Amino acid sequence: MNDPVARRYSAGAMLFHWAIAIAVIWNWRLAENAHHAGDKLQAAAIMGNHKALGITILALTVGRLFWRWTHPTPPLPATLAPWEAKLARGLHILFYVLLIGLPLGGWLANSLSGREIDFFGLFTIPALPVGENKDLGHTIFEAHHTAGSIFIYLIGLHILGALKHTFFDRNGGIFRMLPFGKVPG
């Protein structure tokens, strides 16, 4: 496999990856800003955007999974140690679990609290038909917050791994997910 394009992700995969990455980081910052907002009304407005962006992340992730199932992904670099390959695969699976589970958990917690989700003022996403249980909703919100924090640390690990592979191992690392840069054969 000497074709350098075959060692890169497809343009669609790159687009999904970076759109989701930006949305996740932005959504984390929204949640942090809401937590530190000056009053409840301001916090609620910020959280409204957080929830709508969470639904967007869910939709993008479903699109990314469909793309992944219909377009081949490049093989991992042959220079990876077996433990690195296992860690990479496991982390990617965990990312998909969190990218689907966090928005669904937030939607479920909202639904249990009797709330719909306003999608950036364009339309309303109805509550799931689960009935109202504010205590359970609160518990799920707490789990959502904890999982979101863990997700941010895992993203940091992912970035460190990409940088290690790019600048220390020199195996293409981050350039596999960018349309430029050298991906060695």
Side-chain angles (χ1 to χ4, degrees), residues 22-53:
I22 290 166
V24 166
I25 299 299
W26 182 13
N27 221 22
W28 166 61
R29 292 306 311 149
L30 284 172
E32 289 295 312
N33 289 342
H35 181 71
H36 298 292
D39 60 55
K40 287 186 178 188
L41 191 58
Q42 184 184 21
I46 295 169
M47 283 308 293
N49 288 328
H50 172 81
K51 294 170 188 180
L53 189 54

Side-chain angles (χ1 to χ4, degrees), residues 143-165:
H144 176 87
H145 175 78
T146 301
S149 296
I150 291 168
F151 194 16
I152 293 301
Y153 290 114
L154 292 174
I155 290 169
L157 178 66
H158 178 66
I159 292 168
L160 288 173
L163 293 173
K164 174 202 177 282
H165 295 302

Side-chain angles (χ1 to χ4, degrees), residues 166-185:
T166 302
F167 298 110
F168 292 102
D169 300 342
R170 300 190 185 276
N171 67 8
I174 198 168
F175 297 118
R176 291 165 37 87
M177 192 50 84
L178 290 169
F180 56 84
K182 185 177 179 191
V183 181

Side-chain angles (χ1 to χ4, degrees), residues 107-168:
W107 188 7
L108 177 61
N110 265 288
S111 299
L112 288 165
S113 299
R115 293 188 296 254
E116 300 173 325
I117 296 174
D118 175 58
F119 191 79
F120 300 115
L122 300 172
F123 55 88
T124 301
I125 298 169
L128 296 167
V130 293
E132 197 168 307
N133 183 336
K134 291 187 181 195
D135 289 335
L136 181 56
H138 178 74
T139 300
I140 293 172
F141 275 132
E142 291 296 320
H144 176 87
H145 175 78
T146 301
S149 296
I150 291 168
F151 194 16
I152 293 301
Y153 290 114
L154 292 174
I155 290 169
L157 178 66
H158 178 66
I159 292 168
L160 288 173
L163 293 173
K164 174 202 177 282
H165 295 302
T166 302
F167 298 110
F168 292 102

Side-chain angles (χ1 to χ4, degrees), residues 5-20:
V5 175
R7 290 186 303 276
R8 278 187 212 282
Y9 284 86
S10 66
M14 289 181 199
L15 183 63
F16 277 117
H17 176 273
W18 292 109
I20 292 169

